[in-house]
Every structure is written in structure tokens, then in C-alpha cells.
Amino acid sequence: MQDIAEQVRAWHAAGRTFAVATVVGVTGSAPRDPGAALAVDADGEAVGSVSGGCVEGAVYELCRAAIESGEPVLERFGYSDEDAFAVGLTCGGVLDVFVQPVVPGADAALDTGLALIADGEPVALARVIAGPGDLVGAALAVTASGQHGALAVGPSTVGALERAIAAEARAMLDAGRTGRIVLGLDGRPCDEHGHGTVTCFVESYVPAPRMLVFGAIDFAASVARIGTFLGYRVTVCDARPVFATKRRFPDADEVVVDWPHRYLDSQLGRIDGRTVLCVLTHDAKFDIPLLERALRLPVGYVGAMGSRRTHRERLAKLREAGLTEAELARLRSPIGLDLGARTPEETAVSVAAEIVAHRRGGSCLPLSAGEGPIHHDAAQPAEEGAASGAHAA
């Protein structure tokens, strides 16, 4: 949704009815993650994608039909000998797509949610995609401080359900997660879909995850470049002003001149479980104070450059500083995967590969060496939540 937010907002501002098709469930080797969206307006203009081309035509027609009928629909696209060529989903996966018509001004949650997404403000958009007919399509837009919209659309709605959906959506927003939740009509969590349950799809839209690169060296320029490519907001920090310049790091969103540990202390309110720290300073007077703090913070990844000897010496100093073995175990050092990298660019690929594998639960083995699922996190139950694609990180 974030990728198409500007066009959708333009339609909304012009009072044009449109439909949004969203991937709300993925099984197997499907081409797009939950949250991928395609929107079609009443004139037939389309933006976005739900499958990278596999089922776009079929979903486009569903959007046109939803605009005409005014009714939302949940459709499953899967591979079989009979339908493979009909819809083109030949990769062996399954996509659940929810199509919802949107009439500007008719739903406070959708109106507010779409506006906040377009403005880049943190918001979780929760929509009922399965359950009692009078609830399907109902939505809540949840922020850190409140909610917009209501589920009071029929006799099936109870206050406990609305409060439970809002609470779950707010928790998922805090974690930057997108996925499905299943609740009973009384608002209590359920293990299975079925009669008397409500399935909601919650899309969390949060600022891009951060990558903090410490050490203004040539390797840092390549790491900053690949970090930006992966969708991180990249900051390069070094205490030496002659090296920490925007000209040397044009791909970084910001370049900061400060002692690494002092800068990290100043950012505690802006880091979270998606934050990545790459310590490339390779100098104990910078590394130790920084890592002493970093390994005690709830960040997603901490890696440090250096030889194995440097790593052993670094661990000894960190133990002297009082870090526990559990805290030290969080340190990825020497940083990166064993790709045989030599150049800064190759090293950046090695670092990026380790970050992705750590985030997604990859084995780091060649895909040709295994028989298991290609997308490790997609094998988790949908209700546990999948990482949102667009920062939704």
C-alpha cells in the first residue's frame, strides 16, 4: 500500500471510487509478501502489483467487479493443473487476496488510514477479511495514541472485539509487523478459523528501519549503498570530521560527526528491534564503548568488522566491561558471511547477506543444496505475522 499511496490519495482527493486488492496470506513459493497491493479506480486505471505479474489480470477483474458491486471479496489463487495457466500462478505457491472497494468519505478508518500511509505516519490498518458477513470489510486505523473508525456495522459486533482488534493492531504496529489475527466474537484469540471467529489482516506502516554504520572507511561506503538498496535509512557515524563527509558517503541518508557511543546514546528513542548496527571502526577506543552499549539494546543485529584475533581481544575487553555471555553471543563478528569477499563491494554483499539471513531465518546454504521452503519466514503461521514489505522491514 505504501508504494501506491500517493496515487491512491490522489484518487481519494478527487472523490473517485476505487478498489484495493491486498495480499493477505502467502503459502509456499508465492511471488509477493503479505501487504503487496494493487489498486484500480472506476476508470480502469491500475497501480501496484500483488504477484509480480502472475495473477494481475484476474485480480484486476476482481477489483472492477468490487467497484461495481460495492462488496469486498476474499479470493485464493493457487497452483493446479487446471488453473495454472488460467491465472498464471505457476510458481507452486498460494496467494490469498482481499479486494475492498473504497468510496471516499464513506469509512473514517480507511479515509484516515490511507492519508496517514501517504504522509508516512506510523499507522496499523486492521481490516476484517473473514467472519460474519456484516463485519467483512470493516476497518480500524490504529495509531500509537488512538484509533479511527469503528466496527459497529451490525448485530455481530461487540465492544470487546473492537477493543481486542485495536490492542492487537497496536502491538503489531509497535513491532512493525504485518499479518493475520484470528479472534472470537468475544475478542479472545482463537487457534483456528471457523464458525464464530473473525479473521483480521493488520498492515503496519512504520518508518524505514535504520542501519547505523560506524566507521567512515571505504567498506562503509559500500555497506551504506547496499543498506539503502535493502530499504534501510542509513546513517554513517565517525568521530573524524575529515572522513565523515557527505561527499564520501553520497548514498547515506545522513552523515554524523560524533563519537560512536555518544551518538548511539542520543538515538535510544529512534531505534527498535529492526535496527541494524554495523561496527566497521576496527579501533578498540571506538569499538568497545560502542559495543558495550549496543549489545545491551533491543536491536535486531549487531555486527563488527575485524580479524579473528581482533574478535578474541574484543570479547576479552567486553567481558572486562561486565557483559554477560548471553549478551556477547548477540555479536556477529567477524561481520558477514563467508563468501570469500575481498573488495569493499563484495564485503558489503557478505554483510547484507548475513543481515537478511538473520532477519528471515535463512540457513545460509545454497538453495540447490536443500529441499525445504525457499522463503523461511513464509513457513510461519500467518497469525504470527510476516515482516511487512515496504517498511512495513
Side-chain angles (χ1 to χ4, degrees):
M1 189 86 77
Q2 218 160 20
D3 295 336
I4 63 175
E6 284 301 325
Q7 181 60 63
V8 167
R9 179 159 64 175
W11 291 343
H12 192 278
R16 294 163 67 177
T17 299
F18 56 93
V20 177
T22 307
V23 176
V24 297
V26 170
T27 304
S29 185
R32 297 294 300 274
D33 289 331
L38 168 73
V40 179
D41 78 342
D43 293 332
E45 182 180 357
V47 292
S49 171
V50 293
S51 69
C54 295
V55 299
E56 306 301 306
V59 174
Y60 177 87
E61 293 303 327
L62 284 175
C63 288
R64 296 295 301 270
I67 293 172
E68 183 70 24
S69 69
E71 298 295 329
V73 62
L74 178 64
E75 188 79 14
R76 171 163 288 186
F77 294 92
Y79 177 86
S80 75
D81 290 339
E82 296 169 352
D83 69 10
F85 293 101
V87 299
L89 191 65
T90 57
C91 57
V94 175
L95 289 179
D96 289 329
V97 179
F98 183 68
V99 181
Q100 183 161 26
V102 179
V103 179
D107 189 309
L110 292 176
D111 290 345
T112 303
L114 293 173
L116 291 173
I117 292 167
D119 290 337
E121 296 294 328
V123 61
L125 185 60
R127 290 181 287 164
V128 177
I129 61 173
D134 55 358
L135 285 178
V136 175
L140 293 176
V142 179
T143 63
S145 58
Q147 74 178 59
H148 303 271
L151 299 186
V153 294
S156 301
T157 304
V158 292
L161 175 61
E162 181 175 313
R163 290 192 296 272
I165 293 174
E168 292 281 355
R170 187 165 291 111
M172 293 177 73
L173 178 62
D174 288 342
R177 292 171 48 226
T178 285
R180 287 191 287 191
I181 56 174
V182 181
L183 302 171
L185 292 175
D186 59 0
R188 296 183 180 181
C190 296
D191 294 331
E192 299 180 358
H193 307 263
H195 180 71
T197 67
V198 172
T199 302
C200 287
F201 183 67
V202 180
E203 300 166 82
S204 294
Y205 298 95
V206 293
R210 298 190 68 193
M211 174 182 282
L212 307 183
V213 181
F214 296 98
I217 62 176
D218 50 354
F219 289 93
S222 295
V223 171
R225 186 177 308 119
I226 205 165
T228 298
F229 175 75
L230 290 176
Y232 287 93
R233 177 175 177 80
V234 179
T235 299
V236 174
C237 175
D238 196 295
R240 303 165 297 178
V242 67
F243 295 116
T245 66
K246 186 63 178 176
R247 184 171 183 176
R248 294 189 70 224
F249 300 97
D251 296 294
D253 293 284
E254 57 183 348
V255 179
V256 176
V257 178
D258 201 349
W259 277 75
H261 71 279
R262 188 166 59 191
Y263 176 72
L264 183 61
D265 286 344
S266 74
Q267 299 300 298
L268 298 183
R270 297 181 58 204
I271 59 178
D272 56 28
R274 303 175 302 144
T275 303
V276 165
L277 275 64
C278 298
V279 181
L280 312 181
T281 44
H282 204 257
D283 187 330
K285 69 175 178 290
F286 295 124
D287 289 357
I288 302 305
L290 173 61
L291 290 172
E292 182 182 349
R293 290 161 169 78
L295 294 173
R296 288 169 169 160
L297 294 175
V299 296
Y301 172 93
V302 182
M305 179 174 281
S307 66
R308 298 195 186 280
R309 176 180 176 181
T310 298
H311 175 59
R312 289 191 296 269
E313 294 173 349
R314 184 186 288 139
L315 287 180
K317 289 184 172 64
L318 290 171
R319 287 190 181 96
E320 291 174 4
L323 269 73
T324 66
E325 293 304 312
E327 290 167 339
L328 292 175
R330 298 182 58 215
L331 177 60
R332 300 293 180 126
S333 177
I335 194 171
L337 298 186
D338 181 10
L339 304 183
R342 287 283 186 178
T343 67
E345 292 77 14
E346 291 172 347
T347 300
V349 171
S350 168
V351 173
E354 183 175 51
I355 291 170
V356 172
H358 181 67
R359 177 182 177 185
R360 300 296 192 183
S363 68
C364 303
L365 295 174
L367 289 173
S368 59
E371 296 294 335
I374 293 175
H375 305 294
H376 287 254
D377 54 355
Q380 299 174 358
E383 287 74 23
E384 293 182 8
S388 72
H391 312 318

